[in-house]
Amino acid sequence: MTRQAYVNGRFLPIGRAEVAIEDRGYQFADGVYEVIKAVDGVPRDLERHLARLERSLAALRIPPPMSARALALVIGEALARNPIRKAIVYLQVTRGVAPRNHLFPHDARPSLVITVRRAPFPSDRERAEGVAVISLPDQRWGRCDIKSISLLANLLAKQQAAEAGCREAWLVDGEGRVTEGSASNAYIVDSEGRLVTHPSGPRILGGITRSVVLELAREAGIEVVERPFTLEEAKAAREAFLTSTTSLILPVTRIDERAVANGVPGSTTRHLARLYAERSGIPEAAAGL
Ligand code: PDD
């Protein structure tokens, strides 16, 4: 099957899909994106993703390329043309094509690109054993709530984590507090069984998985505390885990070479993964746990 990409109004085989070299996304990373998972052609949590896209665009003063309704239709069409059971939709909007100039162009139309591919969910083994993370300084800018395609600090951190044999980097601010991962949100369970995660705001991306997991936790009677936690707290925590659209809920069992508690996924993490699997219709989310 040849994957089909959507580029500014047209579907093309992915190898022939192109954007202009003066696209501001290419020259300035002047754009935003979303990553949405879909099961059997149906996107999950689409309204939340489209609402976040709208917020990201508004923050950068990029006009929406089309209405949310029209966007939902195009996403549906992209999924129909790429029949993959468990898929990831990548959607990117940039400010458009214009001769290079830092100032916003007056007449550029936003560029919209959509691709679909198989969801790279973690392996059963990663879920069953949990993953290792490395802590690194958070070198990003002050608006991490915008899902910007400008991801250099995230890439450098993720690469460094991989080279250290770790799945993810947990980013630590100037006060020693974990903000989030390079491409995921970060959580601990404290000695009282409370779920602790950095509050939403400009220091983190408000993850869609995060919003769902916090709802599920509250519904299950788990106390949720949205406050920053330090790296030291994380290392002494009863449990730790991370979430993202592609990682689902992934137990963290090592932080900087040190085992979290007894080094196996904790009961609250496993409970939440089961609830998430049920709610999302993705049994993989709890497989191996
Ligand atoms: N990453 N924080 C950061 C910095 C992220 O890049 C992501 C997602 C998240 C989790 O958000 P969500 O639950 O909405 O996926 C948190 C995506 C998957 C990516 O860049 O591929």
Side-chain angles (χ1 to χ4, degrees):
M1 183 197 80
T2 308
R3 287 162 62 214
Q4 300 270 311
Y6 174 91
V7 185
N8 293 324
R10 290 203 299 162
F11 281 96
L12 291 165
I14 195 148
R16 294 209 343 255
E18 290 173 352
V19 291
I21 60 165
E22 288 193 313
D23 191 287
R24 291 176 62 94
Y26 182 58
Q27 294 192 326
F28 290 120
D30 186 4
V32 302
Y33 74 106
E34 279 296 324
V35 177
I36 306 163
K37 59 177 171 279
V39 180
D40 294 328
V42 182
R44 297 286 181 219
D45 299 310
L46 184 61
E47 298 72 29
R48 294 185 202 215
H49 281 284
L50 294 182
R52 183 171 67 184
L53 177 67
E54 213 169 278
R55 288 196 300 276
S56 296
L57 289 169
L60 299 184
R61 294 160 57 197
I62 297 175
M66 59 180 73
S67 68
R69 233 176 121 161
L71 209 45
L73 289 175
V74 179
I75 291 169
E77 177 68 20
L79 284 163
R81 285 171 182 261
N82 295 277
I84 299 167
R85 282 213 62 211
K86 308 273 167 67
I88 290 294
V89 178
Y90 177 79
L91 182 159
Q92 174 174 309
V93 181
T94 71
R95 202 180 302 277
V97 180
R100 188 176 183 281
N101 181 335
H102 286 61
L103 294 172
F104 294 174
H106 291 298
D107 49 3
R109 272 189 306 146
S111 302
L112 170 62
V113 169
I114 298 174
T115 54
V116 179
R117 68 184 174 109
R118 197 173 308 283
F121 292 144
S123 65
D124 287 1
R125 181 167 171 203
E126 280 181 301
R127 247 186 311 269
E129 294 181 359
V131 296
V133 301
I134 182 178
S135 66
L136 290 172
D138 192 344
Q139 297 182 318
R140 300 172 304 159
W141 71 327
R143 288 302 307 273
C144 300
D145 54 321
I146 300 172
K147 200 160 171 61
S148 156
I149 59 172
S150 176
L151 287 170
L152 264 186
N154 306 61
L155 307 191
L156 291 173
K158 184 81 165 196
Q159 183 64 27
Q160 201 173 327
E163 286 170 9
C166 293
R167 163 87 185 196
E168 178 58 301
W170 273 12
L171 307 176
V172 180
D173 70 13
E175 278 86 58
R177 304 175 311 190
V178 176
T179 51
E180 62 178 334
S182 73
S184 57
N185 290 114
Y187 310 74
I188 57 169
V189 176
D190 72 9
S191 57
E192 308 296 316
R194 290 180 291 235
L195 180 57
V196 183
T197 194
H198 196 287
S200 49
R203 312 303 316 187
I204 67 161
L205 180 75
I208 303 304
T209 321
R210 177 184 183 279
S211 71
V212 172
V213 166
L214 294 189
E215 272 174 29
L216 290 172
R218 288 185 173 114
E219 281 164 25
I222 297 166
E223 192 182 338
V224 174
V225 187
E226 293 182 66
R227 65 157 177 89
F229 58 86
T230 64
L231 183 60
E232 292 319 307
E233 271 184 277
K235 289 181 180 172
R238 194 194 272 184
E239 300 179 33
F241 66 92
L242 59 84
T243 68
S244 80
T245 297
T246 46
S247 304
L248 311 167
I249 297 180
L250 197 51
V252 170
T253 46
R254 294 192 84 77
I255 303 174
D256 292 339
E257 298 289 318
R258 187 165 151 172
V260 175
N262 57 359
V264 297
S267 58
T268 304
T269 308
R270 287 188 279 123
H271 184 191
L272 287 171
R274 281 195 296 274
L275 294 174
Y276 186 80
E278 258 168 52
R279 181 200 178 276
S280 59
I282 301 174
E284 288 92 328
L289 281 173

